[in-house]
Structure formats: structure tokens, C-alpha cells
């Protein structure tokens, strides 16, 4: 086996040198960044060191003595080398090999969606779907339209719906930092301005003075009343006080809802059995597994729909699309900025498809 260390300024340059040295049958045994030069530990230059090899049997197999399990015969040596090569391939980054069995045009499409935060299981399913369609005509320009058809099929059956006008209490829950208070103001403003609804605010967020003041500011701007509740008794009194209102928006405390006891605290304050519609607010900048952890904690609460915030800060819509399909629950609204009430849109399958289209261009 012929083995050689190659130095280059980048991995792309290193791979070119490896291919030039060993051809297309080369095997990458190891790669790492090394730093050379510099003065007093500063200004060092980063380079890439790649250890590559090939089973060129015209060279003396110098490594054989150090590998006791290899046989002396050429036939056994080749078999052992192939086994080693297979083992080493398992340690290559998954993105390098997962899509290799698809045509290059489909591989590029899958890489594009991987950057949008879809997991590998979805990507492999997408690749097979697109491949079956692509085989029928073989047109590269149709690959992207086949991909969008796949995602549309995945989202089929999801119901995207905003506020139910028959529900009096609009409860908004979610972890800290997702923008619940601003989202409530946007929804409430639209009802007041566009539908002339009579609304009121309740806040249970007694942990942050700033949050109460923020909601009070919105209440003043909209000329609507607000009540701060600390316990179930306060909540019941507020229900009676606002009996003549069309809708009462409830702003809850932003807590780490990956911890179960915070959800229990919320259930001790609110009476979920009243005529209530609950929305779970999640940020589009959050990781998929973190969003799912929050959803799991609210599994005993009747969550009507998701609300996704901070679309303007996210370039990877894959997570929210998978979250919806995984939990078989659609979205009510998507927020796109801080402006009240402009930066909020009603959710739809078409919106998410357009989001995929636009995100892939960046």
C-alpha cells in the first residue's frame, strides 16, 4: 500500500493533489488542520494535511509487517485492504456519502435542502421521490419542481388556520425570547382595527416587569383594558370582569418549557376548560430538537396551532416544516419583523413553499 502525506492551503487543493498523485482510487486515511510559521505563537498560517493511500500492488507493501492480520499473499492483501477501505469510509462525514447513489443533478438538489435544515431521513426520501420523477424525462430543470411537489405532498393534510372567532380566550404560550407579547399585539390590533372587535388583555407574566409594561403600552395604544393575574383566583376574577368582551388575549410568562414544572405552574394559574384557543409560539431560529422538546412538554394542553416567529432572522425553514408534519399540526401565523401590526401573515402551505423557494436563493 502506498501512503503519503500531502500539504495544501485548502481541502480543495489537497484533494486535487491527492487525485494527481494517486488517481481516482485514492483513499483518504486522515485529514487535519496544521499551523505553520508565525512569531511568538501569533500570525500562524493554517494549512491542511491529508494522509492518502492507494492499493498499488506494484509498490512493496511496506505496511504489512505492522499489520499482523494481513496475509502475505497478494489476493488476501487486496481483500484486507478493501475491508479497511470500507471501515474508513464509515468515518467520512455522512454528507460526503449519503447521496452518492443519486445522479449528480439530484445530489446538488439534496445538498441545497440540507442547508435549509432538513434531516437526512427526509433528504433520502426526497432524493428517491425526485429520482423516480426525473427518470421519466431526465430534464435537469425539472428537478427543483419535483422537489417542491414532494414538500407539498408532505404538508398535505396540515390545517393552517388563524383565530377561531367562536373562541373567547386566545391563549399564547411559548418559551422565553420567542416574541409572544409582540405577537399578541399584532393579532389583537388586526381584530380591533379590521374587524372592530372588543378585546382585552390578561397577562400572567409576573416574572418580568418589562413584559407587563410592554403589554400595558400596547393596551394603551389600542385603548383596551388589561389585567395582571398572579394565581387562579385572579384569573377567575378577570374572566368575570371581561365577560362582555369578544376576545381576551392571554400573555403567559416566557419560561424554559423544556422543564415540566413550568408547564404545571401555568396550568395552575389558567383554567384551560373555558372557551379557550391556545397557540404555541416557536422561533424559526431555534433548533428542531429544541422546538420538539417544548412541544412534548405541552402535549397535555390542547394546542390549536403553532405560531412561528422571526422568519426575517431565519434562512432555514426546514425545521418548522418537519415540526408541523411530525406533529400533524399546522400553523396559524408567521411573523416577519417587529412592526405592529404589519409584520404578521396568516400561514398557508403556499407560504412555506415560497419560503423554500426564496431561502434556496440565498
Amino acid at each position: 500500500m502506498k501512503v503519503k502525506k500531502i500539504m495544501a492551503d485548502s481541502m480543495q487543493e489537497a484533494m486535487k493533489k491527492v487525485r494527481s498523485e494517486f488517481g481516482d482510487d485514492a483513499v483518504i486515511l486522515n485529514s487535519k488542520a496544521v499551523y505553520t510559521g508565525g512569531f511568538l505563537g501569533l500570525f500562524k498560517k493554517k494549512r491542511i494535511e491529508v494522509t492518502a493511500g492507494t492499493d498499488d500492488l506494484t509498490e512493496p507493501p511496506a505496511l504489512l509487517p505492522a499489520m499482523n492480520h494481513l496475509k502475505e499473499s497478494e489476493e488476501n492483501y487486496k481483500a484486507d485492504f478493501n475491508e479497511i477501505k470500507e471501515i474508513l469510509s464509515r468515518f467520512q462525514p455522512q454528507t460526503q456519502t449519503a447521496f452518492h447513489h443519486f445522479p449528480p443533478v439530484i445530489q446538488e438538489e439534496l445538498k441545497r435542502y440540507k442547508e435549509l435544515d432538513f434531516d437526512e431521513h427526509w433528504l433520502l426520501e426526497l432524493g428517491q421521490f425526485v429520482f423516480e420523477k426525473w427518470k421519466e424525462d431526465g430534464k435537469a430543470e425539472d428537478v427543483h419542481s419535483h422537489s417542491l411537489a414532494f414538500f407539498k405532498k408532505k404538508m398535505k393534510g396540515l390545517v393552517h388556520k388563524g383565530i377561531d372567532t367562536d373562541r373567547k380566550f386566545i391563549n399564547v404560550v411559548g418559551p422565553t425570547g420567542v416574541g409572544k407579547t409582540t405577537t399578541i399585539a399584532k393579532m389583537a390590533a388586526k381584530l380591533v382595527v379590521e374587524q372592530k372587535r372588543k378585546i382585552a388583555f390578561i397577562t400572567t407574566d409576573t416574572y418580568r416587569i418589562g413584559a407587563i409594561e410592554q403589554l400595558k403600552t400596547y393596551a394603551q395604544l389600542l385603548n383596551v383594558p388589561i389585567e395582571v393575574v398572579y394565581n387562579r383566583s385572579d384569573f377567575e376574577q378577570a374572566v368575570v370582569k371581561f365577560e362582555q368582551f369578544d376576545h381576551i388575549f392571554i400573555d403567559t410568562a416566557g419560561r424554559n418549557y423544556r422543564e415540566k414544572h413550568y408547564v404545571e405552574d401555568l396550568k395552575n394559574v389558567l383554567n384551560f376548560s373555558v372557551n379557550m384557543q391556545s397557540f404555541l409560539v416557536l422561533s424559526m431560529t431555534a433548533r428542531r430538537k429544541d422546538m420538539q422538546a417544548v412541544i412534548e412538554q405541552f402535549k397535555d394542553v390542547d394546542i390549536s396551532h403553532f405560531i412561528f416567529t422571526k422568519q426575517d432572522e431565519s434562512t432555514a425553514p426546514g425545521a418548522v416544516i418537519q415540526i408541523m408534519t411530525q406533529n400533524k399540526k399546522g400553523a396559524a401565523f408567521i411573523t416577519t419583523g417587529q412592526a405592529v401590526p404589519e409584520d404578521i401573515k396568516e400561514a398557508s402551505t403556499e407560504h412555506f413553499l415560497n419560503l423554500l423557494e426564496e431561502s434556496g436563493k440565498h
Side-chain angles (χ1 to χ4, degrees):
M1 179 180 186
K2 183 179 179 182
V3 177
K4 186 175 181 179
K5 290 184 177 180
I6 293 174
M7 298 288 291
D9 292 332
S10 67
M11 180 57 77
Q12 290 82 358
E13 182 183 344
M15 294 304 295
K16 288 181 180 178
K17 290 183 177 181
V18 169
R19 189 173 288 107
S20 175
E21 181 77 23
F22 297 110
D24 293 334
D25 293 329
V27 177
I28 305 301
L29 302 177
N30 185 41
S31 64
K32 64 180 180 179
V34 296
Y35 295 85
T36 60
F39 177 70
L40 296 178
L42 302 175
F43 309 113
K44 291 184 177 181
K45 182 178 181 181
K46 179 181 176 181
R47 305 198 74 198
I48 303 298
E49 179 186 279
V50 174
T51 304
T54 182
D55 56 342
D56 185 355
L57 296 178
T58 62
E59 297 280 343
L63 294 182
L64 284 178
M67 304 173 73
N68 295 327
H69 65 286
L70 295 180
K71 307 300 181 181
E72 293 183 358
S73 69
E74 178 179 309
E75 181 179 349
N76 287 336
Y77 168 67
K78 291 179 66 176
D80 288 339
F81 175 81
N82 289 332
E83 181 179 354
I84 293 172
K85 185 161 63 174
E86 180 183 354
I87 294 172
L88 288 173
S89 69
R90 299 173 189 171
F91 292 90
Q92 299 296 321
Q94 192 68 18
T95 55
Q96 300 290 325
T97 60
F99 314 135
H100 71 278
H101 56 288
F102 292 116
V105 65
I106 296 179
Q107 290 186 41
E108 289 302 314
E109 183 77 350
L110 296 180
K111 290 176 183 177
R112 173 180 181 270
Y113 284 107
K114 184 173 180 62
E115 293 178 357
L116 301 186
D117 201 25
F118 287 100
D119 68 25
E120 188 172 285
H121 175 76
W122 265 53
L123 294 173
L124 291 173
E125 190 176 344
L126 168 63
Q128 190 60 41
F129 178 90
V130 173
F131 179 64
E132 293 299 326
K133 298 291 184 182
W134 178 80
K135 282 193 306 183
E136 298 175 6
D137 51 36
K139 296 180 181 178
E141 59 269 23
D142 290 338
V143 166
H144 185 55
S145 62
H146 294 327
S147 296
L148 293 178
F150 169 83
F151 291 114
K152 186 175 183 179
K153 180 180 178 182
K154 274 288 190 180
M155 288 187 281
K156 185 179 180 180
L158 291 177
V159 177
H160 304 292
K161 186 180 179 182
I163 295 172
D164 187 342
T165 55
D166 293 333
R167 298 296 183 98
K168 185 168 186 174
F169 295 89
I170 312 301
N171 180 36
V172 181
V173 300
T176 183
V178 297
K180 294 188 302 299
T181 304
T182 305
T183 301
I184 284 176
K186 293 173 183 177
M187 292 191 293
K190 283 186 172 293
L191 287 180
V192 171
V193 175
E194 297 177 4
Q195 300 183 32
K196 309 302 180 184
R197 293 276 176 167
K198 187 179 180 181
I199 70 164
F201 288 148
I202 289 176
T203 179
T204 69
D205 192 353
T206 57
Y207 299 95
R208 297 180 301 136
I209 300 299
I212 296 177
E213 294 304 316
Q214 183 184 18
L215 192 60
K216 283 183 176 179
T217 299
Y218 289 132
Q220 291 172 358
L221 291 172
L222 294 173
N223 194 27
V224 301
I226 179 173
E227 284 290 314
V228 180
V229 304
Y230 295 86
N231 49 47
R232 176 62 70 86
S233 177
D234 290 342
F235 178 75
E236 298 295 350
Q237 291 178 38
V239 169
V240 174
K241 182 176 180 178
F242 295 142
E243 184 176 1
Q244 301 304 316
F245 286 75
D246 296 318
H247 300 289
I248 295 93
F249 284 86
I250 304 172
D251 188 17
T252 59
R255 307 301 297 270
N256 179 9
Y257 285 118
R258 287 177 294 181
E259 298 186 28
K260 184 69 174 178
H261 69 93
Y262 288 130
V263 179
E264 294 301 321
D265 291 345
L266 183 63
K267 291 166 70 175
N268 288 333
V269 175
L270 299 182
N271 180 3
F272 286 90
S273 65
V274 297
N275 186 22
M276 182 181 293
Q277 182 178 23
S278 294
F279 295 105
L280 177 57
V281 182
L282 299 169
S283 170
M284 290 184 67
T285 62
R287 296 187 301 175
R288 183 170 53 248
K289 68 176 184 179
D290 292 334
M291 286 192 280
Q292 187 60 41
V294 173
I295 293 169
E296 291 297 325
Q297 295 293 26
F298 278 97
K299 62 184 179 181
D300 294 331
V301 175
D302 184 16
I303 300 297
S304 171
H305 293 80
F306 298 123
I307 295 176
F308 295 113
T309 59
K310 304 185 180 182
Q311 177 189 301
D312 53 311
E313 300 178 27
S314 172
T315 57
V320 297
I321 291 175
Q322 288 196 232
I323 281 293
M324 289 188 294
T325 55
Q326 179 179 337
N327 293 277
K328 297 180 174 61
K329 194 180 298 294
F333 300 100
I334 299 169
T335 71
T336 58
Q338 293 297 313
V340 177
E342 296 87 353
D343 292 339
I344 189 169
K345 297 180 179 179
E346 292 188 4
S348 66
T349 297
E350 289 71 25
H351 179 86
F352 289 108
L353 290 174
N354 291 337
L355 199 55
L356 284 177
E357 187 80 27
E358 291 300 318
S359 299
K361 294 178 181 178
H362 298 305

